[in-house]
Amino acid sequence: MIPPGFIQDLLSRTDIVDIVGRHVELKKAGINHKGLCPFHGEKSPSFIVSPTRQTYHCFGCGVHGNAVGFLMEHSGLGFVEAVQDLAQQVGMVVPEDERSAEERERAAQQKQRQATLTDVLEKASAHYRLQLKKSPRAIDYLKKRGLTGQIAAQFALGYSPEGWRTLASAFPSYDDPLLAESGMVIVQNADGPEAEQKRYDRFRDRIMFPIRNVTGETIGFGGRVLDKGEPKYLNSPETPVFSKGRELYGLFEARAGLRQRGYALVVEGYMDVVALAQSGFNNAVATLGTACTAEHVHKLFRFTESVVFSFDGDAAGRRAAGRALEAALPHATDVRSIKFLFLPAEHDPDSYVREYGAEAFEQCVTEAIPLSRQLMESSAEGCDLGSAEGRARMLANAKPLWQALPNGLLKRQLLGDLARRTQLPDQELMGLWQVSGTTGGGGQRSNQRAAKPPQSQQHHDEFGHDQYPDLDVFDSHGGDEHYDLPEPSAHAEEPAGGGAAKPWKKKEWKKDWKPSGNWKRRGEPEDETIGTPRRQPAAKADHAVRMLLLNSDWWARLSPDDHQLLHELPGVHGELVAWLERHMVNHGASPWSVLEAALADEGLLPEAKRFTGELYSEDESKFEDFQSVIKALWLSQLKAESSRLAASNPQGAEFERFKQLLERIRALEAVSTPAA
């Protein structure tokens, strides 16, 4: 665990303009810096980096955060990885309090070992790129596949020549154990005497596809034969830096494309990724000769909220889709989109785009099957839904898939779809699968209405719905109309012995009757704002706290009386002012990114966010604006005190105090408000 104080120290020593500027071309724009957002495609810059707050924000797509957040978003790093990366850039060492000295030493050795292996692999990649330039045969093969030199350079494509020991020309010692450990060289009889060992290159006469992690380090290779041969694709073995179940080919190159297009396109081959990028689909990635895993899906959802799996339409493609479905289900939350695209059996994405064009492939993506339908079709495969046995088999197939979904509305809706497909009532299927009666567990009725005030729940027993006490009264006719039932008499009796409810007594019509409850006219559009909390206009105290948190150095420019005024603000306002002063005594004035981390450690960030909600704007406040707010607070306080005194008919000392207050009020009002 990283100590909380370290994050604050790290952010205070970081210049976010420098960090972001290494990846984004920034230009000075007033007190901020501006550039094209790296997270979505745009032609006019809307990406703002604030050196005073040490934050970034895009007014186009809404991404924002501090330096750590930028590295996580842009490079796809986890929190700890981003902190370690940032600390290394500014020359700090991340403390690791919970590990022993031996564990830290082992971790350091492992990291050094991995760095050494990636250096070896990068050197091999450079060698393969050089060999490609020297091989007309390999260049001709890539041209026939429709690839340009530009796309080959983007993916660092290379060529491993024919011959058993061509890497010997790239490394000082072909016997270097790192060549074997990185998977580049195969050692025969590795456990025998050294004299009997034979070494040779793993990849021979193949187009080489470097596999890079999200930070751009080469961690392995995929090699494709130029002519006929087996295997068609050959991958690096598992090494300390390469795991097929965790890595995706093309993810490093597709990071910008994922943001621009809004979804990830998962295909099955390296050449598919490169060819699609050539055709404008720069958001494609591929698994590394293995089935798609839950870790693959989890990694993709760090970059996008929408994933489309593309498979061949043959039996193998269907099997691969089934494995991808199982991997994706635990990550299918209500705000994510997962779809499945099946091409004709004779095509893969590369051949389909070359034959029909990019627009035709784009249309296929648009018509991809959503996860809900894929789950239904996968469960029904081989089942005769015209028979009870077939429907029972479908439910047996569907149950483990449905249970893998996270709790939410998608899971609840799928339960209803499965029930209808298998001709079962929702409630019966819920009971069979022992689903709870909450939305999270997938157990609400499909025709449940919006929750009403608690008083409406007392009608349930009268209408035979006491077995579902958490459900609202629903329309028994199955329509979409919503009616509030009349309120029962105060003396209404419970039906004895669980018998039929007593009929309602007809009430007399009253001349001054007015509709009550949740009644509305049929067909009248519903006001979506009804029931939502109303936000009060920001008060002067809100503005004062907001400006102070975003510009803590202004505190030193205030008078002692102004300090006292802010300390005496009631409630959370004064609490945050007191906290800020304590923080500055220990750490000095800090940018908002540092204060944000410190407030989170103290558990005060939610309260602070109430005032900094409208944090991002291109025009930042000036100190003169803050002075105007302080002046308004003084006037409010002085006028309130003078009104209290005036109401008490002041005499003597109180009258003198009253006159002083009036003089101060007149003096403040006479001072013109500084221009913003």
Side-chain angles (χ1 to χ4, degrees):
M1 180 180 177
I2 300 174
F6 177 80
I7 304 298
Q8 300 170 41
D9 293 341
L10 175 62
L11 290 172
S12 66
R13 298 189 192 185
T14 299
D15 181 5
I16 194 170
V17 176
D18 180 49
I19 299 300
V20 175
R22 297 175 188 177
H23 308 277
V24 179
E25 184 178 349
L26 298 174
K27 293 183 179 180
K28 197 81 163 60
I31 62 174
N32 295 323
H33 291 75
K34 206 169 190 178
L36 295 174
C37 179
F39 303 119
H40 81 287
E42 62 177 9
K43 296 182 179 179
S44 57
S46 60
F47 185 76
I48 302 294
V49 180
S50 169
T52 56
R53 299 174 186 170
Q54 287 295 301
T55 58
Y56 67 91
H57 178 77
C58 177
F59 291 92
C61 65
V63 295
H64 58 266
N66 55 29
V68 174
F70 180 82
L71 291 178
M72 293 173 67
E73 285 280 341
H74 189 267
S75 301
L77 302 176
F79 175 74
V80 175
E81 295 171 310
V83 170
Q84 291 173 338
D85 190 336
L86 190 60
Q88 186 176 14
Q89 293 185 48
V90 299
M92 296 178 68
V93 178
V94 180
E96 302 173 77
D97 297 338
E98 295 186 354
R99 294 192 292 181
S100 64
E102 293 79 7
E103 289 173 329
R104 290 197 296 271
E105 178 63 26
R106 282 197 298 270
Q109 291 176 357
Q110 177 70 6
K111 187 173 182 180
Q112 180 59 43
R113 180 187 177 198
Q114 291 175 343
T116 304
L117 288 176
T118 56
D119 288 343
V120 169
L121 292 164
E122 183 55 47
K123 194 170 184 178
S125 179
H127 168 73
Y128 291 141
R129 291 197 299 273
L130 182 62
Q131 296 304 311
L132 176 61
K133 295 179 181 179
K134 298 178 179 179
S135 173
R137 175 168 160 263
I139 293 173
D140 185 59
Y141 171 83
L142 294 178
K143 285 183 176 180
K144 287 181 179 178
R145 297 300 297 262
L147 302 185
T148 64
Q150 182 181 0
I151 204 72
Q154 179 182 337
F155 285 86
L157 301 187
Y159 172 64
S160 176
E162 295 180 282
W164 291 94
R165 296 166 64 95
T166 61
L167 282 176
S169 63
F171 292 90
S173 173
Y174 193 71
D175 294 335
D176 189 341
L178 289 173
L179 286 172
E181 189 176 1
S182 64
M184 301 309 301
V185 167
I186 295 175
V187 181
Q188 277 191 341
N189 195 24
D191 297 329
E194 187 172 347
E196 298 179 8
Q197 294 178 359
K198 293 184 179 180
R199 294 172 177 265
Y200 56 91
D201 293 358
R202 180 178 299 274
F203 300 98
R204 302 178 304 280
D205 193 25
R206 290 177 179 268
I207 296 294
M208 300 300 292
F209 297 82
I211 301 167
R212 297 188 271 203
N213 60 21
V214 293
T215 61
E217 296 173 325
T218 302
I219 56 175
F221 289 92
R224 191 197 190 285
V225 293
L226 272 71
D227 302 313
K228 293 182 180 179
E230 292 295 335
K232 182 178 179 181
Y233 280 99
L234 180 65
N235 294 317
S236 290
E238 299 275 320
T239 69
V241 296
F242 178 56
S243 172
K244 298 176 186 177
R246 290 200 299 265
E247 303 298 337
L248 289 158
Y249 177 71
L251 183 57
F252 172 73
E253 293 82 2
R255 292 172 304 159
L258 294 177
R259 301 289 183 185
Q260 292 166 4
R261 285 188 164 267
Y263 69 94
L265 180 61
V266 184
V267 296
E268 296 185 86
Y270 304 124
M271 189 61 76
D272 290 329
V273 172
V274 180
L276 285 170
Q278 175 79 54
S279 301
F281 293 90
N282 57 348
N283 57 329
V285 299
T287 54
L288 305 174
T290 65
C292 185
T293 66
E295 194 157 355
H296 285 144
V297 179
H298 176 70
K299 179 168 285 191
L300 285 172
F301 279 127
R302 288 163 62 177
F303 294 88
T304 180
E305 292 298 304
S306 181
V307 175
V308 177
F309 293 99
S310 176
F311 300 100
D312 300 344
D314 56 13
R318 294 283 173 179
R319 289 194 299 272
R323 293 190 291 269
L325 175 65
E326 294 174 2
L329 285 170
H331 303 281
T333 64
D334 294 339
V335 298
R336 289 173 175 168
S337 170
I338 300 172
K339 294 183 177 181
F340 296 81
L341 165 62
F342 295 96
L343 295 173
E346 66 274 14
H347 281 295
D348 55 28
D350 176 19
S351 65
Y352 191 93
V353 170
R354 280 190 284 127
E355 182 167 342
Y356 297 106
E359 290 186 8
F361 186 77
E362 185 78 67
Q363 184 63 31
C364 290
V365 173
T366 303
E367 297 171 355
I369 300 171
L371 176 139
S372 57
R373 197 193 314 165
Q374 180 64 20
L375 185 149
M376 299 284 287
E377 293 181 2
S378 176
S379 302
E381 188 173 356
C383 300
D384 176 14
L385 299 185
S387 67
E389 292 84 353
R391 294 192 294 273
R393 182 181 175 187
M394 177 185 174
L395 285 177
N397 294 339
K399 184 177 180 180
L401 300 176
W402 181 84
Q403 288 178 326
L405 285 166
N407 292 333
L409 294 175
L410 174 62
K411 187 173 186 178
R412 174 64 193 92
Q413 291 181 82
L414 266 170
L415 182 77
D417 291 344
L418 287 166
R420 285 186 290 275
R421 188 81 175 268
T422 54
Q423 301 178 23
L424 278 177
D426 288 17
Q427 292 295 331
E428 188 170 340
L429 185 57
M430 288 167 58
L432 288 171
W433 286 358
Q434 298 180 347
V435 181
S436 65
T438 62
T439 304
Q444 283 181 312
R445 294 182 64 93
S446 61
N447 52 2
Q448 181 185 352
R449 303 302 186 209
K452 292 161 62 179
Q455 65 176 10
S456 65
Q457 295 180 4
Q458 63 187 322
H459 306 320
H460 292 175
D461 290 345
E462 302 287 346
F463 284 82
H465 302 306
D466 52 335
Q467 65 269 44
Y468 309 121
D470 59 330
L471 300 186
D472 196 357
V473 176
F474 56 88
D475 177 14
S476 60
H477 301 289
D480 292 330
E481 299 171 10
H482 181 193
Y483 301 94
D484 271 358
L485 297 174
E487 191 166 334
S489 166
H491 303 290
E493 297 179 3
E494 296 285 343
K502 291 186 177 182
W504 292 103
K505 291 183 180 180
K506 187 175 181 181
K507 294 187 178 181
E508 292 184 6
W509 180 83
K510 295 182 180 180
K511 185 177 180 180
D512 58 349
W513 179 87
K514 293 181 180 180
S516 61
N518 210 15
W519 181 89
K520 67 179 182 183
R521 296 181 184 274
R522 293 179 58 177
E524 185 176 301
E526 185 172 356
D527 183 357
E528 296 180 356
T529 66
I530 291 177
T532 60
R534 303 298 183 185
R535 186 172 180 179
Q536 294 182 349
K540 292 296 183 184
D542 296 349
H543 287 304
V545 172
R546 174 184 181 276
M547 291 179 175
L548 198 54
L549 288 173
L550 299 183
N551 305 274
S552 60
D553 57 317
W554 289 354
W555 179 262
R557 300 170 65 178
L558 297 176
S559 68
D561 287 342
D562 292 338
H563 289 167
Q564 187 62 30
L565 172 72
L566 292 171
H567 271 292
E568 291 176 354
L569 291 175
V572 69
H573 299 85
E575 183 181 356
L576 287 171
V577 169
W579 175 89
L580 180 63
E581 186 177 45
R582 291 195 304 272
H583 177 87
M584 288 192 293
V585 167
N586 296 321
H587 306 284
S590 305
W592 166 247
S593 64
V594 176
L595 294 181
E596 186 178 28
L599 285 162
D601 296 336
E602 296 281 344
L604 291 173
L605 187 57
E607 286 78 4
K609 283 291 183 74
R610 286 169 48 190
F611 311 119
T612 60
E614 302 299 327
L615 174 62
Y616 300 100
S617 62
E618 295 194 42
D619 298 323
E620 298 186 17
S621 300
K622 301 177 182 178
F623 183 66
E624 290 78 7
D625 303 324
F626 185 49
Q627 287 180 304
S628 297
V629 173
I630 296 296
K631 170 187 164 183
L633 286 174
W634 274 118
L635 284 171
S636 177
Q637 184 191 75
L638 295 173
K639 287 180 178 179
E641 186 179 353
S642 65
S643 296
R644 287 195 301 271
L645 287 175
S648 65
N649 191 20
Q651 302 291 331
E654 288 187 348
F655 183 71
E656 292 299 320
R657 172 62 179 166
F658 178 71
K659 290 195 298 182
Q660 292 174 2
L661 290 174
L662 293 180
E663 289 177 4
R664 289 189 63 186
I665 291 171
R666 282 193 290 268
L668 283 171
E669 290 179 336
V671 178
S672 60
T673 302

